[in-house]
Amino acid sequence: MSDVVEKTLTALPSLLSLDSHPGSAKLSSTSKLGNLIRGITELTSKHEEEKLIQHELLAIKEQVSSPNTTMRQMKELMVRSIYCEMLGYEASFSYIHAIKLAQQGTVLEKRVGYLAVSLFLNESHELLLLLVNTVLKDLQSTNLIEVCMALTVVSQMFPKDMIPAILPLVEEKLNHPKEIIRRKAVLALYKFYLIAPNQVQHIHNKFRKALCDKDPGVMTASLHIYLQMIQENPEAYKDLTPSFVTILKQVVGGKLPMDFNYHTVPAPWLQIQLLRILSLLGKNDQSTSEVMYEVLDESLQRAEMNHNITYAILYECVKCIYTIHPKSDLLEKAAKCIGNFVLSPKINLKYLGLKALTYVVQQDPKLALQHQMTIIECLDHPDLIIKRETLELLFRITNGQNVTVIVEKMLEFLCISEDDHTTIDLVGKVAELAEKYPLKYNEWFIETMNTVFSLGGDMMQPDIPNSFLKLLSEGFDSVEEDRKLRLFAVNSYIPLLRGEPGKLPQRFLQVISWVLGEYSHLREDLEPAEVLSLLAKLLDMKNSSSETKSWVLMAMTKLCKGGADASVTQEVSETYSSSLDTVLRQRAHELQYLSQDPELRARVLPRGAKPETLEVDSSLSFLDRFVSEALAAGAAPYKPPHQRQEELDQSKALSLEPYGLSLPISMSSCSITDRQSPTLLSMSSGLSGDTLKLDGIKRVWGREGYLAQREPVEEAAQVEVPSPIQSPGRQGEGDSLHSQTPTQTPTPEPEQEKQQLASSLFVGLASQSSVSLMGKSEPMPQRFRRKAKGQGLGSSFIANEQISSSLISPPSAVDNLLCNNLLDSNNASELAEQTSQLSQSLTTANGTCHAEAELTESDTKGCNPALRRDNCVVAAGPGPHNDPGRLTEVCLDSYLPAELSGLSHSEIAPLCANQSLNLSACHVQKEDSLILVVFIMNSSESAIQQIPAGEVTSYSVAVGQYSLTVKRPAVHVEVVGTVSYQLPAGTSQSLQFSYKVPLTSFIRPFVVSTEEYGTMWLSFSHDTKQNLTLINDNQEPLTATLNALKKKLQLHVVEVIGMEGIVACRLLQDLPCLMHCRVNAGWLAVWLRSPVPDLPDCLIYHCQRALQSL
Amino acid sequence: MQFMLLFSRQGKLRLQKWYVPLSDKEKKKITRELVQTVLARKPKMCSFLEWRDLKIVYKRYASLYFCCAIEDQDNELITLEIIHRYVELLDKYFGSVCELDIIFNFEKAYFILDEFLLGGEAQETSKKNVLKAIEQADLLQENIDFQMRLFAGSRDPAQRAGGNRTDINTIFIAIHTPPSASYSAVCS
């Protein structure tokens, strides 16, 4: 049908040409839209507009849903809806109709329908699914315009999951005779590649075909895909380099049809695309770079016409030359080019010149020197963007000598900048520089940081105050310097607090209160009472956040001494001890108790304490006891999210996918106390996975600046250029940056100022040796070497962990314990005692099972793990030593039953003792069982009647042997027992003991074939997944890790294929557990399956431990 | 390219094309902030902005601002040329384009844009070819319009052609950029 129309059309152009311009005839083909627009422009207020549009939308809504509306009217309605949406009013009711229009309309209506869809919906909108069929139909249409429209909409947005449905059709279009169709098909594939690269992986050869297409337009389109692919993996496409070079040569040589010219420049888009690809290919690759030198040179020469578009190509060329392996004459030409940019009167070019300079200055600091006067001018440019870019450039060339001037310039800019994003960025940079070069300017450092804090306010990165405080507390190499620095900080804060602290940002107040709490004692003439009252003033301020208040309370806790200050602290603590904010309340209680007990305070918050290294127990084993208690109290054992999900799926057939998304999220956000029934493993798995990893936190923000950038920055700062260029800076002195610099020729005043600025900015960039001739410059002292590698700041800082947990995160248990005790009592000794208990419990007790087996009975009681007492051999003999106190393990060894002595046994550990009995135990691993051996030693003078085993004479040892099995796995199996005995006097007594065996002792290798493994894998229902760290030594990481696990845990490695390995083990004889390991992005992704609940979880915990301990 | 916005000197949005999936709320927020930022800049200032983590390239043609957001590695100057080529296309299509043409025929402006840029990348840079593709589709429309007129009786061509331009108090200055001329935007 449309073909017929087309034919009629070509015959009628004369009739149609009412107007010479094709477009003008259509100016108001939709008069209703025209009316609407006119209506809006006549209105005077926003309110009226809103009313009018709402009215309009109502009318549209009514019409679109009416069955009598024709598609032609619908088209017009859609245009009006688009207009309303553009004005910012929602017209979501029309979305579905837009899809309908695209589906049912004729070609022209379809066009509007597709347009409306592409404007209304975005990629992830669910209604888009309804479009798939329409697109499919149109892709198969014989009408070229329809095919074009379908391809256009597909390259803009398409639901990811539906790509396979249309992919074959789009691929087919790559062979279409019309180049416009081929080009659009390539761009559609590019879009697919961007949203779902794996969906189009198999058609890479088609991309090559597109690259070789006879139409340059199609070839250009395919370069988008290649650029993307090369960006991800340059190695795989090195072989294409000569092809790209040839294409570029042809383009530059003007071999393309005139159609591709843009203002007489041949295919600039194509050129730029090719240059970008080449720079990716030639990066760090000398041989590949050599292939392209010639064409780059030619590009540079050809592009000398004074035109915007040639500058675009030149700019890309320069970037390319500086990215690939360097070649000196090209670099020279590129440098000249940059010079032209920088010196250009056109502001856009100047900006790009500065950008290019910033890019290359690390390689070539000379270049900055050449253009120093221009840079100085740009620094005072009225356009903030230029100014900002200049600062960026200066930031790159900062060294120890010019840092003060550069920072000063940056701070000046900060004062006038109104853009939050810039402020945050720049504040970070200033702080980075200040921390990198504190030099001898202690005052400068503190003052700079003060400005940073007051300007950066609460927007700045939270790690800036953290690292500042860390720097202050860890100190540098000299004690005296540290003291001065801290004292200066205190001195600078006191007047601030006396002034108008209400104007300071919260973050700054927090820093101030911490510093005052910690170091205000350094200033001798300052009464703590005064500091206290200053701090108390902060508490009364209306705009103080509760976070700030808790920092202030902490500081007060450190300062209060009782006596005169008591009234202030008393008042404060009373006010806040009833606060609704629990943190504040806690701090108030601390303040109250600690202020009354100086001795306790001195222990909890020692003054001048050195930062201690904090061990962070990332496996949270200190919670073991809590977990086991919870389980004993009947809580359900924790199940990892994927298992929960699986069970959920099983129980509810209706449950559809969306749950999958929400579960992991809720897990990570869930706090520790929320978990009713965690077994510790899964908790540790959640922690060591991707949520919160404390021990391995990468320090991004270090003393030397962003650590990632450290090397290049330092390089820039230290490069020595034996430069012949006259730098006024060289005559200046290293230390006194503001010293008068003699200039060659007398210059007018402002010029002289600029030169002076230049000398201070660019000092150190020129040859340093000439400076040191004058004996003033010395290599910058690296005073900021790290002293302690601790994660935290020591005890005094711990209490603030809630506030600054991102960087310094001490274990919360210590903190909480402190508070609990403070609330209960203020007995110092008890506090200490309990702390020590806690530290013990960190390493013990998480057995989830209490099996009680009384030795007095011949049968074993208890649920799981069953302690079977099968053969109770009691070997009684005279003790070899007279002194029981000297009874050592070595001699107990000799009591091991003969049949066990050949096997390896664990260390013999003392269990408990009283005046008459000494109990020790060890466990022995046999192939199919675990034997617990209990040594009962009579340490009294008299013989003891053991029930029912008989008598143990004085100083002799009785040995009991028990075979242990596990019915329900736990990380540690705890055996609890009682020894009942009778003294000769006839009194019957008992002694309780408990013994812990790690689950690993029950694990045995499980030899299976891969096939058996496969069948078993599918039949097991309980599983867990986890990422483990890989061991990276010389050999292959997977094998190394598996071997380590095999050694530590007695696993059996079934097979290793490439990056995957399968491992099997069993719990004693009968309970298998299979493990599938895969190396994935630097981690070992482990998937465990077993028929036994909890066994995978327990095992993964031990794997984790085993790898950690390496 | 991440998105392209066209807005008037009064800050009214005239055209928006997003090549990255964003929620409506984000789009509105970005539009509002960006329009404000760009309008606050003086005529002689640099056409490039670093805004949030995007690079913005904008240019003013008469009363209309054309504004593109590009990624970090993209070339700013070529983006300026993209804007310019788009203006040239509009100019050729509408014949001395003015803001009103774009207001009243924004769907046409979108069609041209889609033919020129696809998925944020320049797909066809030849003026001739872009307009050919558009006109092929338009011709169909003309034909139908023509038939409609034949059957339904003719309407007043003047009204059809221009609406009542003088009713609208938007200031517009027609721009005409002959291909040989230098590229300074015409500013009012």
Side-chain angles (χ1 to χ4, degrees):
Chain A
M1 162 73 191
S2 53
D3 290 344
V4 181
V5 174
E6 224 165 346
K7 274 177 198 156
T8 3
L9 250 186
T10 38
L12 287 175
S14 54
L15 279 172
L16 291 171
S17 56
L18 298 167
D19 211 313
S20 57
H21 285 292
S24 57
K26 304 156 197 101
L27 199 59
S28 69
S29 56
T30 49
S31 59
K32 277 188 185 159
L33 175 72
N35 285 334
L36 173 64
I37 295 168
R38 266 178 234 117
I40 290 168
T41 39
E42 275 156 19
L43 297 176
T44 48
S45 75
K46 184 83 189 155
H47 180 68
E48 280 174 5
E49 180 191 297
E50 206 173 313
K51 250 170 66 185
L52 184 80
I53 300 280
Q54 292 305 351
H55 184 75
E56 181 76 16
L57 282 175
L58 269 180
I60 297 175
K61 195 172 182 175
E62 203 175 301
Q63 264 190 290
V64 287
S65 38
S66 144
N68 299 325
T69 312
T70 63
M71 281 295 144
R72 194 181 158 77
Q73 287 166 316
M74 197 65 106
K75 184 183 110 189
E76 190 272 321
L77 289 168
M78 278 308 128
V79 172
R80 275 196 281 159
S81 303
I82 297 175
Y83 191 79
C84 292
E85 281 245 328
M86 187 157 67
L87 290 177
Y89 300 89
E90 201 200 274
S92 52
F93 62 86
S94 55
Y95 297 174
I96 186 76
H97 297 283
I99 290 180
K100 250 164 79 185
L101 186 63
Q103 208 163 34
Q104 296 163 4
T106 62
V107 182
L108 291 166
E109 290 142 17
K110 219 179 233 310
R111 185 158 81 145
V112 174
Y114 273 132
L115 175 70
V117 169
S118 73
L119 291 172
F120 286 152
L121 308 180
N122 71 32
E123 233 157 77
S124 47
H125 204 286
E126 50 193 359
L127 279 180
L128 215 51
L129 285 175
L130 298 175
L131 198 70
V132 174
N133 257 330
T134 317
V135 169
L136 267 177
K137 205 181 83 201
D138 287 340
L139 280 178
Q140 288 162 308
S141 160
T142 51
N143 186 338
L144 288 190
I145 294 174
E146 280 184 342
V147 179
C148 277
M149 285 190 303
L151 284 173
T152 303
V153 80
V154 160
S155 355
Q156 294 187 57
M157 49 185 335
F158 200 73
K160 201 162 140 186
D161 308 329
M162 298 312 287
I163 290 176
I166 61 159
L167 189 59
L169 282 174
V170 177
E171 271 179 68
E172 202 179 275
K173 297 284 175 274
L174 290 176
N175 300 322
H176 200 277
K178 279 269 180 201
E179 63 270 3
I180 185 169
I181 304 279
R182 291 205 301 277
R183 196 177 62 216
K184 280 180 198 266
V186 171
L187 283 169
L189 290 179
Y190 169 59
K191 177 73 184 173
F192 294 166
Y193 183 82
L194 287 183
I195 56 177
N198 48 345
Q199 306 262 33
V200 290
Q201 221 152 30
H202 60 287
I203 50 171
H204 280 198
N205 56 336
K206 300 246 163 121
F207 296 157
R208 283 214 181 205
K209 212 176 142 236
L211 184 65
C212 306
D213 198 285
K214 61 179 188 290
D215 180 64
V218 182
M219 186 265 293
T220 311
S222 77
L223 289 183
H224 294 302
I225 306 180
Y226 275 101
L227 179 66
Q228 200 65 32
M229 294 195 299
I230 291 171
Q231 223 159 24
E232 282 154 24
N233 180 16
E235 292 308 317
Y237 300 93
K238 297 271 184 191
D239 59 317
L240 284 176
T241 316
S243 318
F244 291 130
V245 169
T246 321
I247 298 174
L248 185 56
K249 246 183 211 151
Q250 290 175 8
V251 177
V252 174
K255 300 267 165 39
L256 289 189
M258 287 296 277
D259 268 357
F260 292 90
N261 282 10
Y262 177 83
H263 299 267
T264 69
V265 177
W269 278 272
L270 177 55
Q271 285 196 47
I272 283 173
Q273 198 77 353
L274 283 168
L275 286 169
R276 281 177 68 184
I277 289 179
L278 289 183
S279 71
L280 288 173
L281 286 171
K283 196 175 184 182
N284 303 325
D285 184 342
Q286 189 173 356
S287 59
T288 312
S289 299
E290 274 162 5
V291 183
M292 45 186 95
Y293 288 148
E294 194 195 327
V295 74
L296 288 176
D297 196 24
E298 204 180 330
S299 291
L300 274 184
Q301 279 170 5
R302 292 262 177 174
E304 267 174 3
M305 202 181 84
N306 185 14
H307 195 303
N308 242 352
I309 193 76
T310 55
Y311 286 125
I313 297 171
L314 276 179
Y315 181 65
E316 209 59 47
C317 233
V318 167
K319 259 174 48 181
C320 180
I321 288 171
Y322 270 95
T323 312
I324 62 172
H325 189 86
K327 186 181 187 225
S328 57
D329 68 317
L330 274 183
L331 285 181
E332 235 167 71
K333 284 179 188 164
K336 212 178 120 219
C337 229
I338 294 179
N340 288 341
F341 272 86
V342 174
L343 296 173
S344 165
K346 288 183 185 165
I347 189 158
N348 289 344
L349 295 186
K350 207 185 246 330
Y351 171 83
L352 287 178
L354 286 173
K355 258 193 114 90
L357 261 187
T358 314
Y359 185 73
V360 305
V361 81
Q362 280 159 20
Q363 288 179 40
D364 195 1
K366 263 191 301 184
L367 221 48
L369 275 178
Q370 279 172 20
H371 299 296
Q372 44 179 313
M373 289 323 279
T374 321
I375 295 173
I376 301 290
E377 274 161 23
C378 289
L379 209 49
D380 287 325
H381 203 278
D383 190 348
L384 286 189
I385 298 293
I386 299 277
K387 223 170 166 166
R388 172 85 184 72
E389 199 51 47
T390 316
L391 288 176
E392 189 73 39
L393 171 63
L394 290 178
F395 173 71
R396 299 286 173 99
I397 58 165
T398 311
N399 57 32
Q401 292 163 1
N402 58 17
V403 62
T404 41
V405 193
I406 289 178
V407 165
E408 190 191 326
K409 288 285 163 195
M410 286 177 145
L411 291 177
E412 266 173 33
F413 183 84
L414 268 177
C415 295
I416 48 171
S417 157
E418 284 166 359
D419 173 36
D420 289 356
H421 208 265
T422 316
T423 309
I424 294 170
D425 183 54
L426 216 52
V427 157
K429 291 209 160 103
V430 172
E432 187 182 334
L433 290 179
E435 285 174 13
K436 194 165 143 197
Y437 304 105
L439 299 166
K440 17 218 144 172
Y441 320 117
N442 275 338
E443 287 91 4
W444 173 80
F445 174 57
I446 298 289
E447 273 166 6
T448 307
M449 289 310 286
N450 285 355
T451 327
V452 164
F453 288 134
S454 15
L455 289 176
D458 295 319
M459 289 179 302
M460 71 166 96
Q461 305 284 346
D463 50 0
I464 296 176
N466 279 347
S467 55
F468 171 70
L469 292 183
K470 203 165 158 180
L471 212 73
L472 216 55
S473 67
E474 284 179 0
F476 315 125
D477 288 338
S478 139
V479 178
E480 182 52 28
E481 286 288 304
D482 291 349
R483 203 189 66 82
K484 272 191 194 159
L485 183 68
R486 291 165 187 165
L487 182 60
F488 190 80
V490 172
N491 283 342
S492 70
Y493 294 155
I494 294 293
L496 283 176
L497 286 192
R498 280 181 186 146
E500 280 188 85
K503 286 184 179 162
L504 300 176
Q506 298 299 310
R507 284 258 168 74
F508 195 18
L509 290 178
Q510 290 160 14
V511 169
I512 291 178
S513 39
W514 188 85
V515 171
L516 289 184
E518 206 67 13
Y519 300 120
S520 66
H521 63 90
L522 292 174
R523 187 168 152 180
E524 275 139 19
D525 60 330
L526 194 65
E527 284 295 318
E530 196 192 342
V531 183
L532 276 176
S533 67
L534 283 175
L535 288 173
K537 229 167 71 187
L538 295 183
L539 287 175
D540 297 335
M541 275 174 356
K542 251 188 253 149
N543 49 1
S544 290
S545 68
S546 64
E547 197 185 332
T548 309
K549 284 181 183 167
S550 79
W551 283 72
V552 171
L553 283 175
M554 253 333 273
M556 292 178 88
T557 316
K558 289 174 200 160
L559 286 171
C560 62
K561 270 220 197 82
D565 330 328
S567 58
V568 184
T569 52
Q570 197 61 36
E571 199 183 315
V572 167
S573 59
E574 269 168 24
T575 321
Y576 288 98
S577 57
S578 55
S579 161
L580 282 178
D581 187 318
T582 48
V583 179
L584 274 184
R585 196 153 66 194
Q586 183 177 312
R587 302 276 174 257
H589 278 292
E590 283 169 21
L591 173 60
Q592 192 175 5
Y593 286 110
L594 292 178
S595 65
Q596 284 160 11
D597 189 343
E599 201 182 311
L600 175 63
R601 190 173 62 93
R603 296 174 61 152
V604 177
L605 303 165
R607 177 161 286 176
K610 284 278 156 211
E612 295 157 20
T613 313
L614 286 171
E615 294 282 336
V616 177
D617 184 2
S618 64
S619 64
L620 298 187
S621 58
F622 57 87
L623 285 170
D624 292 0
R625 172 170 292 185
F626 170 76
V627 171
S628 61
E629 276 167 12
L631 282 174
Y638 173 75
K639 281 182 196 142
H642 57 91
Q643 198 179 331
R644 283 201 299 255
Q645 151 110 58
E646 215 168 75
E647 286 172 18
L648 210 70
D649 286 350
Q650 282 162 3
S651 60
K652 283 186 205 160
L654 268 179
S655 149
L656 289 171
E657 273 165 49
Y659 280 134
L661 273 178
S662 61
L663 271 172
I665 292 162
S666 67
M667 165 169 170
S668 60
S669 62
C670 161
S671 80
I672 289 164
T673 43
D674 285 340
R675 292 158 186 256
Q676 291 294 311
S677 55
T679 64
L680 116 143
L681 338 147
S682 329
M683 200 173 315
S684 70
S685 63
L687 284 170
S688 58
D690 45 15
T691 44
L692 178 75
K693 214 159 104 222
L694 298 174
D695 50 355
I697 288 178
K698 198 174 132 215
R699 286 188 65 230
V700 188
W701 183 261
R703 203 160 289 142
E704 286 95 357
Y706 283 111
L707 293 183
Q709 288 182 3
R710 189 171 100 200
E711 279 165 18
V713 171
E714 269 177 7
E715 199 177 70
Q718 287 167 3
V719 166
E720 289 191 17
V721 194
S723 155
I725 296 160
Q726 276 296 332
S727 154
R730 274 197 295 163
Q731 284 127 350
E733 291 172 1
D735 305 8
S736 57
L737 290 171
H738 296 284
S739 67
Q740 269 297 333
T741 312
T743 42
Q744 262 89 12
T745 46
T747 40
E749 188 99 321
E751 199 57 25
Q752 199 170 348
E753 246 172 52
K754 278 184 184 170
Q755 297 233 347
Q756 200 176 321
L757 182 60
S759 75
S760 44
L761 278 175
F762 297 95
V763 66
L765 275 179
S767 161
Q768 277 190 338
S769 55
S770 65
V771 182
S772 60
L773 277 180
M774 306 173 83
K776 296 282 183 176
S777 160
E778 49 193 62
M780 225 215 307
Q782 273 292 345
R783 304 185 324 155
F784 287 86
R785 223 164 293 124
R786 200 158 237 277
K787 264 194 194 163
K789 290 253 185 265
Q791 285 274 346
L793 276 181
S795 60
S796 46
F797 208 89
I798 287 173
N800 286 325
E801 48 82 27
Q802 274 185 305
I803 299 150
S804 51
S805 61
S806 62
L807 191 75
I808 28 174
S809 356
S812 54
V814 178
D815 198 24
N816 291 342
L817 183 81
L818 171 67
C819 319
N820 290 344
N821 265 320
L822 283 170
L823 293 174
D824 296 336
S825 71
N826 55 357
N827 183 328
S829 62
E830 194 186 307
L831 177 80
E833 197 178 282
Q834 195 150 348
T835 315
S836 74
Q837 263 180 15
L838 180 94
S839 65
Q840 270 176 14
S841 73
L842 286 179
T843 56
T844 59
N846 77 312
T848 51
C849 322
H850 295 268
E852 219 170 286
E854 290 186 35
L855 294 181
T856 49
E857 288 178 27
S858 53
D859 285 342
T860 320
K861 268 203 214 163
C863 40
N864 39 341
L867 176 67
R868 226 179 308 125
R869 181 188 180 189
D870 46 4
N871 55 342
C872 176
V873 182
V874 178
H881 297 286
N882 285 334
D883 186 357
R886 282 170 55 199
L887 188 80
T888 57
E889 208 186 299
V890 185
C891 57
L892 276 175
D893 255 356
S894 58
Y895 289 102
L896 261 180
E899 72 269 24
L900 298 178
S901 55
L903 300 163
S904 72
H905 63 84
S906 69
E907 205 176 304
I908 297 175
L911 291 177
C912 57
N914 62 10
Q915 63 272 43
S916 48
L917 276 186
N918 242 326
L919 290 185
S920 307
C922 70
H923 56 268
V924 182
Q925 295 190 18
K926 287 172 79 174
E927 207 201 318
D928 53 354
S929 61
L930 189 79
I931 309 293
L932 175 70
V933 183
V934 183
F935 303 89
I936 306 162
M937 209 197 92
N938 182 355
S939 55
S940 70
E941 300 287 327
S942 51
I944 285 172
Q945 193 69 37
Q946 199 191 355
I947 304 169
E951 202 183 58
V952 184
T953 53
S954 172
Y955 298 121
S956 65
V957 178
V959 178
Q961 250 189 66
Y962 310 93
S963 167
L964 300 181
T965 55
V966 175
K967 281 190 182 143
R968 212 169 143 202
V971 171
H972 293 282
V973 177
E974 193 170 16
V975 182
V976 185
T978 316
V979 179
S980 301
Y981 58 95
Q982 233 171 2
L983 291 169
T987 48
S988 139
Q989 292 188 357
S990 63
L991 184 61
Q992 285 205 337
F993 69 88
S994 75
Y995 185 72
K996 274 184 39 165
V997 192
L999 187 78
T1000 42
S1001 312
F1002 294 96
I1003 300 291
R1004 301 286 179 272
F1006 184 31
V1007 184
V1008 285
S1009 70
T1010 310
E1011 289 75 40
E1012 286 169 324
Y1013 183 100
T1015 33
M1016 269 192 276
W1017 179 266
L1018 293 177
S1019 61
F1020 295 168
S1021 53
H1022 297 275
D1023 69 345
T1024 188
K1025 285 180 195 168
Q1026 175 81 62
N1027 279 349
L1028 298 180
T1029 43
L1030 272 172
I1031 301 174
N1032 273 319
D1033 50 7
N1034 291 332
Q1035 42 168 328
E1036 214 262 307
L1038 178 65
T1039 338
T1041 315
L1042 288 184
N1043 282 342
L1045 285 177
K1046 186 183 165 187
K1047 215 171 108 201
K1048 289 240 171 191
L1049 300 176
Q1050 296 197 311
L1051 309 173
H1052 171 65
V1053 180
V1054 182
E1055 199 174 357
V1056 178
I1057 310 162
M1059 299 312 265
E1060 290 182 59
I1062 48 175
V1063 179
C1065 66
R1066 59 199 164 102
L1067 198 60
L1068 295 178
Q1069 284 143 303
D1070 42 5
L1071 306 172
C1073 183
L1074 305 180
M1075 195 165 154
H1076 173 261
C1077 311
R1078 189 166 52 85
V1079 178
N1080 182 20
W1083 291 90
L1084 185 69
V1086 179
W1087 190 359
L1088 287 126
R1089 278 198 170 197
S1090 166
V1092 191
D1094 298 343
L1095 181 57
D1097 286 327
C1098 299
L1099 209 57
I1100 198 91
Y1101 167 81
H1102 283 292
C1103 290
Q1104 239 164 9
R1105 277 278 160 124
L1107 291 177
Q1108 264 169 22
S1109 65
L1110 282 172
Chain B
M1 189 184 292
Q2 301 219 338
F3 56 83
M4 186 186 223
L5 300 176
L6 262 70
F7 51 87
S8 71
R9 223 168 37 167
Q10 289 79 26
K12 286 244 187 254
L13 196 59
R14 294 301 180 211
L15 212 70
Q16 54 174 345
K17 190 82 194 178
W18 300 82
Y19 298 108
V20 283
L22 291 171
S23 72
D24 285 347
K25 214 173 141 197
E26 280 169 297
K27 286 182 191 171
K28 271 184 199 163
K29 187 160 178 263
I30 291 176
T31 311
R32 199 176 52 238
E33 282 180 31
L34 206 54
V35 166
Q36 224 171 28
T37 315
V38 170
L39 286 180
R41 292 181 61 79
K42 296 194 181 73
K44 291 282 170 206
M45 282 182 170
C46 181
S47 299
F48 315 127
L49 276 180
E50 263 162 66
W51 184 79
R52 297 211 198 156
D53 45 355
L54 292 175
K55 292 203 288 195
I56 305 291
V57 178
Y58 73 93
K59 192 160 183 183
R60 180 175 158 181
Y61 287 88
S63 58
L64 260 191
Y65 283 87
F66 291 69
C67 176
C68 296
I70 53 174
E71 272 121 80
D72 196 44
Q73 333 78 305
D74 290 342
N75 190 313
E76 289 95 339
L77 284 174
I78 200 85
T79 312
L80 266 187
E81 295 313 301
I82 284 182
I83 293 178
H84 190 78
R85 169 80 355 147
Y86 183 46
V87 175
E88 284 179 350
L89 285 169
L90 291 173
D91 196 52
K92 186 114 187 249
Y93 181 78
F94 289 108
S96 186
V97 69
C98 68
E99 193 185 337
L100 281 179
D101 291 321
I102 296 172
I103 298 174
F104 282 99
N105 296 293
F106 64 88
E107 82 274 20
K108 297 283 160 48
Y110 276 121
F111 292 144
I112 296 172
L113 186 61
D114 280 350
E115 208 54 49
F116 173 46
L117 295 177
L118 192 49
E121 309 283 353
Q123 64 151 335
E124 174 61 78
T125 50
S126 149
K127 239 193 295 194
K128 198 178 83 194
N129 291 347
V130 172
L131 293 179
K132 205 169 84 189
I134 296 293
E135 275 158 22
Q136 262 176 4
D138 281 347
L139 227 48
L140 233 54
Q141 173 137 357
E142 288 287 354
N143 185 37
I144 292 165
D145 278 354
F146 180 72
Q147 286 173 339
M148 295 285 288
R149 276 205 308 281
L150 281 185
F151 295 121
S154 67
R155 285 185 295 175
D156 176 17
Q159 200 188 346
R160 194 177 51 82
N164 214 346
R165 281 200 188 187
T166 43
D167 282 353
I168 293 161
N169 35 17
T170 325
I171 304 156
F172 63 91
I173 291 164
I175 55 146
H176 219 6
T177 26
S180 54
S182 83
Y183 283 161
S184 57
V186 184
C187 304
S188 60

